[in-house]
Amino acid sequence: MGSVQKVVKVTMFHFRRELLSQKNIFLYFLMGIYIYSNMNGVVRLCSQVGISASPAGYVFLMNDFIFQTTFLIGLVFIFSNAPFRDTMYSYIVHRVGSMCWEIGTILYIVLMSLLYVLYIIGISWLALKGNLEFTMEWGKIWGTLAKTTAAQQFEIPFSINAYIIGKYSPGFGMFISALLEWICFVWIALCIYLCNVMIKKGAGILAAGLFIFLDVMIYNSWTPWAYRFSPITLAQLSNYNREKLSYGITLNYTWCFYGITIVCFIIGIICARRRNYHECN
């Protein structure tokens, strides 16, 4: 069996075991209800004015602090049992090798994070209940909500950022928001994995919680320069403004930050594989 086949088999093993596990189905259900119910105000506005919304709604969900935090808590729940080493671990590693196990597990994390992002986007579309028009424009609905008090009148609980609409083209805004969210999810998931294998299970959840709420700590009592090291800040397109630019927050910096730290996480996970394999035997 070739190394690529072994990696793919490990990845598929994780998907078969985790994708439709009871805890994940429970999360999908709760997250779906959460997004669906909070889009009701947009549906009411669309129905009242007789205009459909563009598919850009998820951009504003991902750039709202409360919703972003909720999505990340859900992500921690998905990967809470990392590094996925149960009674089958020793048997599978004996067959495929520790390197293929780790690479296959990392690939699973990357793909599962992508599916989670796509799930959020898909539910945000379904929640519009027939009031969705697939067009590469911000559209009148989101523009009205960003520039008027309609969001308060229709009790829409997430912020529709006028800066994003004015600064970015619709296609770029939708693509880059989804991409930033995906990379941020991968970052947090790999952080959980690395901390759990290097320290002990549970340490990753604590580390993820620290990074998820780092924005709040910086805003309330810490130096603003720390925004440069907050993966949550860097995942929000609304933060690429003049104020954050003074702290060095740019998209180019973000690609470097995510790229370097994710590579370091992967190297740390792979380097720890032999020690952890021997501990499990």
Side-chain angles (χ1 to χ4, degrees), residues 47-61:
S47 299
Q48 181 167 315
V49 301
I51 299 174
S52 295
S54 76
Y58 70 86
V59 174
F60 306 108
L61 293 177

Side-chain angles (χ1 to χ4, degrees), residues 67-79:
F67 281 78
Q68 173 78 326
T69 301
T70 303
F71 296 155
L72 286 163
I73 291 173
L75 181 84
V76 172
F77 191 71
I78 290 174
F79 295 111

Side-chain angles (χ1 to χ4, degrees), residues 14 35 46 101 128-129 138 174 176 187 192 214 233 266:
H14 287 307
I35 297 172
C46 291
W101 167 272
L128 290 174
K129 306 173 185 176
W138 290 119
M174 287 188 273
I176 207 69
W187 196 99
I192 294 172
L214 182 58
T233 297
I266 292 172

Side-chain angles (χ1 to χ4, degrees), residues 161-194:
N161 196 295
Y163 172 77
I164 293 177
I165 293 177
K167 176 70 174 179
Y168 302 102
S169 66
F172 180 81
M174 287 188 273
F175 171 75
I176 207 69
S177 286
L179 180 61
L180 288 170
E181 192 80 346
W182 178 29
I183 296 174
C184 178
F185 284 177
V186 171
W187 196 99
I188 293 293
L190 290 177
C191 178
I192 294 172
Y193 192 103
L194 178 62

Side-chain angles (χ1 to χ4, degrees), residues 56-243:
Y58 70 86
V59 174
F60 306 108
L61 293 177
M62 292 175 178
N63 281 273
D64 181 272
F65 173 76
I66 300 299
F67 281 78
Q68 173 78 326
T69 301
T70 303
F71 296 155
L72 286 163
I73 291 173
L75 181 84
V76 172
F77 191 71
I78 290 174
F79 295 111
S80 60
N81 57 339
F84 316 106
R85 292 172 182 171
D86 57 12
T87 54
M88 293 291 293
Y89 170 68
S90 297
Y91 171 74
I92 295 174
V93 170
H94 180 72
R95 293 193 62 190
V96 304
S98 59
M99 177 66 81
C100 289
W101 167 272
E102 298 299 353
I103 295 175
T105 304
I106 291 168
L107 181 59
Y108 160 73
I109 288 173
V110 171
L111 294 178
M112 187 63 185
S113 298
L114 176 60
L115 288 178
Y116 185 46
V117 171
L118 295 177
Y119 178 77
I120 292 170
I121 294 173
I123 293 296
S124 74
W125 292 348
L126 289 174
L128 290 174
K129 306 173 185 176
N131 294 285
L132 177 67
E133 180 182 3
F134 282 96
T135 175
M136 295 303 290
E137 300 291 339
W138 290 119
K140 293 182 180 180
I141 293 296
W142 303 116
T144 298
L145 290 171
K147 299 173 184 177
T148 69
T149 59
Q152 289 78 24
Q153 294 174 15
F154 287 87
E155 299 179 334
I156 296 171
F158 55 93
S159 59
I160 293 82
N161 196 295
Y163 172 77
I164 293 177
I165 293 177
K167 176 70 174 179
Y168 302 102
S169 66
F172 180 81
M174 287 188 273
F175 171 75
I176 207 69
S177 286
L179 180 61
L180 288 170
E181 192 80 346
W182 178 29
I183 296 174
C184 178
F185 284 177
V186 171
W187 196 99
I188 293 293
L190 290 177
C191 178
I192 294 172
Y193 192 103
L194 178 62
C195 290
N196 281 351
V197 298
M198 293 295 291
I199 306 173
K200 65 177 182 178
K201 196 169 184 178
I205 295 177
L206 293 176
L210 173 65
F211 283 111
I212 289 172
F213 293 102
L214 182 58
D215 273 9
V216 178
M217 293 186 287
I218 296 172
Y219 180 80
N220 288 313
S221 59
W222 211 6
T223 171
W225 283 99
Y227 282 126
R228 290 169 59 88
F229 308 103
S230 170
I232 315 307
T233 297
L234 300 178
Q236 296 179 7
L237 197 59
S238 57
N239 284 324
Y240 295 93
N241 51 41
R242 184 173 299 178
E243 177 188 355

